[in-house]
Amino acid sequence: MRRHPDLAEVAHEDYTVVLNLARLNEQQSPYVFEGPSFEIWTRIDGTRDEAQIVDELVEQFGAPREQIATDVRAFLEELLALGLVEDADNKEDTEPHLD
């Protein structure tokens, strides 16, 4: 999982403000991630997969794994739908193929 490259982001110590430049006409307001959404967002760095994010949050907060996994999955699905992140494993191949 990685952040979409066409984002403007301002990160603070305990919250982040994100603007989707690629969809600016549709999504004119920035997104503010704080609390649990901030904790997930900061871990979406292109090196961690969903399971690693869940593992880190379980370790940090000690909440039940099933609950954290459900919350992380729902948030990631929302981010994907908004175009704020890309699933590195399932990213559509836009490169032309030479057969």
Side-chain angles (χ1 to χ4, degrees):
M1 190 68 54
R2 64 178 167 227
R3 297 174 189 171
H4 192 279
D6 296 329
L7 302 178
E9 180 176 356
V10 178
H12 296 276
E13 186 176 315
D14 58 352
Y15 71 95
T16 297
V17 180
V18 178
L19 185 61
N20 189 344
L21 299 175
R23 295 187 181 179
L24 195 54
N25 290 334
E26 317 162 26
Q27 302 171 2
Q28 296 179 0
S29 297
Y31 299 94
V32 178
F33 300 129
E34 55 189 348
S37 63
F38 173 77
E39 295 297 334
I40 298 168
W41 180 258
T42 59
R43 288 169 170 80
I44 300 171
D45 61 1
T47 65
R48 296 173 177 95
D49 63 17
E50 183 175 339
Q52 290 168 315
I53 292 171
V54 170
D55 289 343
E56 289 180 19
L57 294 173
V58 167
E59 185 175 324
Q60 181 175 350
F61 296 105
R65 180 175 186 73
E66 298 78 26
Q67 182 61 49
I68 289 180
T70 299
D71 293 345
V72 167
R73 165 68 10 211
F75 186 62
L76 292 178
E77 286 176 357
E78 183 177 352
L79 294 175
L80 281 164
L82 292 170
L84 298 177
V85 298
E86 302 172 331
D87 187 343
D89 294 333
N90 295 325
K91 187 175 184 242
E92 290 182 22
D93 186 2
T94 57
E95 296 292 322
H97 292 277
L98 300 174
D99 293 328

